[in-house]
Amino acid sequence: MERLAAPLRRSPLVLGPEDSLIRIALHGLKGELVMPAMGTLDDQQLAAILTYLRSAWGHTASPIAAEAVGRVRARSEGRRVPWTRDELARASSQ
């Protein structure tokens, strides 16, 4: 069976900077990988999902707090388009 999406196990997007993962969850990702936005979920729901991804499949990345989701949501208020990898890299360096 052909793979439809990149694996989440050992994914640098899942295990990398939490702000980048939160941005992807809030607004989506476009490019060679595509992920729809989940910004309609509240901060606690998104934090729980992202924490699961960062602890599943043998991952040992730190959990994501609802407050972190709220902080990123506030900073990216008004964004209506998915992120690209280049935009995420630039945003992480700021």
Side-chain angles (χ1 to χ4, degrees), residues 1-88:
M1 177 180 198
E2 185 175 335
R3 180 167 290 174
L4 300 177
L8 295 175
R9 186 174 186 212
R10 288 182 253 155
S11 166
L13 293 174
V14 171
L15 301 175
E18 73 175 24
D19 283 10
S20 292
L21 183 59
I22 294 168
R23 286 181 180 103
I24 292 169
L26 287 171
H27 304 291
L29 179 69
K30 66 180 177 182
E32 75 279 3
L33 298 174
V34 177
M35 182 180 155
M38 298 187 299
T40 57
L41 299 176
D42 68 34
D43 295 350
Q44 185 61 48
Q45 291 169 320
L46 281 177
I49 291 167
L50 300 179
T51 294
Y52 171 78
L53 293 176
R54 289 168 62 91
S55 64
W57 309 293
H59 294 159
T60 58
S62 60
I64 293 183
E67 294 78 18
V69 176
R71 176 179 40 79
V72 173
R73 187 188 299 267
R75 286 196 324 230
S76 60
E77 188 176 7
R79 185 172 183 94
R80 301 288 178 249
V81 296
W83 293 89
T84 66
R85 280 188 183 248
D86 288 344
E87 289 174 322
L88 289 172

